[in-house]
């Protein structure tokens, strides 16, 4: 039997799903990230990758024909030519790119997707201005803790690119979902001149070669195959982002249908006939066949809820909330200042006051406020020309909360459903299967 492995790297851990050609799940594993400082994250990710694979029974690993991975969008890193990171990764929600806003605007076209403090390109420019150009000998400091050896060439990679490299050994290959916020043009399938000219200089790292998500890249490295018992011809395919993987898992294929991923953060994706890109609101479109996946991602979401409540608390208090009763508490739930969508402002302050003494009332206000942000996001997409919303499927941990779904339905005014499959790892497994089968 031919099996296909999808591996999802989210904000709190890694998960794997193995399916057959009919989409039936044969195995699922997961590994929670250890608490680590940012410079240690590559080791944490690598250990998590090996851990989720190790948990798969050997009899199943021997039947895996293709593997694909997803990572968090705009989580980026710089590596040596041998793939070793030279400084700490910059995470998806890190807004240090706000420091290079002026240069970013001078380079990119108006309202382009990259015009955000958290875009991949903003982080690349921050690296250039924060250290790379300042060291003409190409000696790079690791987060201020010391000087690394001289490096002749650096590679700029996304999280999913680097993780896939660990499996296939070909450094510097990305997919056009991950590369969108770097400035890659999905219409012409190349980097635009404004980008390559705008970052040119002595301290410019090598940009990744970009292929379509699911494209077979190379066979699994011999040492990885031997360690885990994968077939010699097991193919590693180009990946995607975690939120698009969750969208693929849902099975949505009709324009007007959407998927909201309610994980640590909130991401909305609407399948549309029309492409919409507007950096003023953190809105961008991913190419998906002949259609466009229009959406944005907010820093609000489950991480805020877990900051105040345990999972047991969330389950218990939610059952005491009347979802048809509107909460008068008007929050903008964030753990730190800054959001990307539907308000794109790196300095947007969290709004979590007033806080009532009743925990149920407080949770009600948080759930309702996140629902308002989601509804405003979909409304904005349609105002800017996306296909009208007809149905919303929910992925992520928030999909399990029936009360929250009822609150969201009241704001969205369309059906809110949970798809059969919601795990991003399932969507990535579908990507591996389609890549291996040439679909």
């Amino acid at each position: 039997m031919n099996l296909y492995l999808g591996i999802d790297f989210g904000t709190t851990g890694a998960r794997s799903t193995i399916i057959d050609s009919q989409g039936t799940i044969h195995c699922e594993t997961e590994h929670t990230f250890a608490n680590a400082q940012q410079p240690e994250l590559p080791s944490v990710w690598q250990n998590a990758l090996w851990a989720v694979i190790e948990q798969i029974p050997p009899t199943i690993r021997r039947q895996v024909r293709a593997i694909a991975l997803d990572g968090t969008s705009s989580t980026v890193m710089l590596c040596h030519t041998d793939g070793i990171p030279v400084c700490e990764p910059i995470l998806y929600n890190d807004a240090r790119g706000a420091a290079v806003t002026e240069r970013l605007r001078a380079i990119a076209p108006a309202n382009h997707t990259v015009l955000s403090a958290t875009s991949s390109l903003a982080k690349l420019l921050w690296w250039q201005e924060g250290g790379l150009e300042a060291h003409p000998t190409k000696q790079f400091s690791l987060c201020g803790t010391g000087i690394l050896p001289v490096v002749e060439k650096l590679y700029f990679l996304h999280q999913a690119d680097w993780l896939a490299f660990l499996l296939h050994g070909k450094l510097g290959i990305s997919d056009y979902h991950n590369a969108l916020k770097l400035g890659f043009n999905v219409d012409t399938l190349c980097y635009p001149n404004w980008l390559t000219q705008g970052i040119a200089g002595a301290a410019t790292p090598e940009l990744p070669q970009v292929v379509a998500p699911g494209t077979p890249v190379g066979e699994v490295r011999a040492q990885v195959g031997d360690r885990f018992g994968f077939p010699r011809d097991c193919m590693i395919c180009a990946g995607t982002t975690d939120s698009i993987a969750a969208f693929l898992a849902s099975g949505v294929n009709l324009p007007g249908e959407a998927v909201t991923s309610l994980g640590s953060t909130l991401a909305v994706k609407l399948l549309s006939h029309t492409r919409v890109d507007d950096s003023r609101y953190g809105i961008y479109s991913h190419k998906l066949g002949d259609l466009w996946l229009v959406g944005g991602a907010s820093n609000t979401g489950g991480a805020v809820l877990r900051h105040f409540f345990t999972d047991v608390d969330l389950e218990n208090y939610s059952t005491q909330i009347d979802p048809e009763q509107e909460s008068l508490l008007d929050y903008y739930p964030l753990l730190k200042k800054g959001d990307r969508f539907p308000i794109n402002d790196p300095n947007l302050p969290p709004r979590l006051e007033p806080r009532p003494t009743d925990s149920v009332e407080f949770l009600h206000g948080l759930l309702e406020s996140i629902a308002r942000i989601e509804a405003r996001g979909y409304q904005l997409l349609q105002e800017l020309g996306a296909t009208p919303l007809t149905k919303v499927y929910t992925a992520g941990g928030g999909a399990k909360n029936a009360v929250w779904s009822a609150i969201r339905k009241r704001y969205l005014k369309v059906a809110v459903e949970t798809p059969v499959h919601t795990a991003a790892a399932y969507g990535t497994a579908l990507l591996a299967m389609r890549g291996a089968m040439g679909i």
Side-chain angles (χ1 to χ4, degrees):
M1 179 185 295
N2 290 337
L3 299 177
Y4 307 92
L5 169 59
I7 302 176
D8 161 53
F9 273 75
T11 55
T12 60
R15 298 156 192 84
S16 83
T17 299
I18 292 184
I19 63 173
D20 60 25
S21 58
Q22 303 302 310
T24 301
I25 296 175
H26 287 253
C27 180
E28 294 179 297
T29 68
E30 63 179 300
H31 178 83
T32 301
F33 295 149
N35 290 327
Q37 298 298 313
Q38 207 152 318
E40 301 167 342
L41 284 177
S43 294
V44 171
W45 295 339
Q46 180 171 312
N47 291 338
L49 176 61
W50 303 147
V52 293
I53 294 174
E54 192 79 62
Q55 294 174 51
I56 301 168
T59 54
I60 292 181
R61 293 201 297 259
R62 285 195 289 269
Q63 300 177 75
V64 173
R65 312 307 303 182
I67 304 172
L69 303 99
D70 70 70
T72 49
S73 176
S74 289
T75 292
V76 297
M77 54 207 303
L78 290 175
C79 296
H80 286 281
T81 52
D82 54 8
I84 297 175
V86 300
C87 60
E88 68 178 29
I90 304 182
L91 300 182
Y92 66 97
N93 60 350
D94 191 312
R96 70 182 74 182
V100 295
T101 299
E102 211 170 293
R103 184 179 170 198
L104 193 58
R105 286 179 178 160
I107 292 173
N111 290 337
H112 196 279
T113 305
V114 300
L115 292 171
S116 164
T118 59
S119 75
S120 299
L121 181 56
K123 291 162 184 169
L124 171 55
L125 294 179
W126 182 88
W127 264 319
Q128 284 189 315
E129 298 207 351
L132 301 189
E133 290 180 342
H135 296 281
T137 58
K138 298 193 178 179
Q139 292 181 321
F140 301 96
S141 108
L142 180 56
C143 311
T145 60
I147 298 296
L148 291 167
V150 172
V151 181
E152 292 186 0
K153 181 190 284 188
L154 287 180
Y155 283 83
F156 180 87
L157 299 175
H158 304 89
Q159 180 189 34
D161 309 341
W162 184 73
L163 291 165
F165 156 75
L166 297 179
L167 298 180
H168 58 55
K170 296 184 177 182
L171 190 65
I173 298 177
S174 188
D175 63 273
Y176 59 59
H177 289 161
N178 271 293
L180 183 77
K181 294 180 186 177
L182 179 56
F184 185 79
N185 190 324
V186 294
D187 288 321
T188 61
L189 297 180
C190 65
Y191 291 108
N193 289 334
W194 63 258
L195 170 60
T196 54
Q197 293 171 5
I199 66 171
T204 303
E206 190 86 7
L207 299 183
Q209 174 190 345
V210 180
V211 298
T215 300
V217 173
E219 294 179 351
V220 67
R221 297 166 71 180
Q223 57 266 48
V224 175
D226 291 343
R227 174 178 175 180
F228 297 109
F230 291 126
R232 287 286 184 182
D233 60 352
C234 176
M235 186 60 63
I236 312 302
C237 299
T240 183
T241 66
D242 55 348
S243 61
I244 292 186
F247 187 94
L248 295 174
S250 72
V252 168
N253 56 21
L254 295 176
E257 294 186 342
V259 172
T260 296
S261 295
L262 286 173
S264 298
T265 58
L266 166 74
V268 303
K269 304 285 186 189
L270 171 63
L271 198 58
S272 174
H273 289 293
T274 309
R275 178 178 184 174
V276 179
D277 293 292
D278 199 320
S279 66
R280 295 174 301 168
Y281 306 106
I283 294 170
Y284 51 92
S285 294
H286 282 285
K287 187 176 179 63
L288 205 64
D290 296 328
L291 299 171
W292 295 96
L293 200 49
V294 183
S298 170
N299 293 334
T300 194
V304 181
L305 301 180
R306 283 195 170 88
H307 179 74
F308 294 105
F309 303 101
T310 66
D311 287 347
V312 173
D313 287 339
L314 287 171
E315 186 174 354
N316 180 33
Y317 295 152
S318 292
T319 60
Q320 301 176 54
I321 294 172
D322 178 1
E324 298 306 317
Q325 179 67 45
E326 182 179 358
S327 170
L328 298 180
L329 296 169
D330 184 18
Y331 299 142
Y332 204 103
L334 299 169
L335 290 180
K336 60 182 181 179
K337 71 176 184 178
D339 202 10
R340 302 169 283 165
F341 167 84
I343 299 174
N344 189 11
D345 179 359
N347 297 309
L348 183 72
R351 192 167 69 246
L352 294 163
E353 300 288 344
R355 179 172 177 175
T357 55
D358 184 347
S359 295
V360 174
E361 186 181 348
F362 181 49
L363 176 60
H364 188 182
L366 291 174
L367 295 179
E368 190 129 354
S369 296
I370 296 172
R372 290 190 195 107
I373 293 171
E374 177 191 8
R376 176 57 187 149
Y378 281 119
Q379 179 185 351
L380 189 56
L381 297 184
Q382 293 164 96
E383 289 174 359
L384 294 173
T387 299
L389 184 69
T390 59
K391 183 184 291 188
V392 174
Y393 291 92
T394 310
K400 302 171 185 175
N401 192 317
V403 171
W404 199 4
S405 293
I407 292 172
R408 293 169 50 234
K409 183 177 180 180
R410 175 157 49 82
Y411 280 95
L412 294 169
K413 296 180 172 53
V414 296
V416 175
E417 300 180 8
T418 301
V420 175
H421 300 290
T422 62
Y426 184 89
T428 313
L430 288 175
L431 198 61
M433 179 188 74
R434 293 166 185 167
M437 298 174 69
I439 297 175

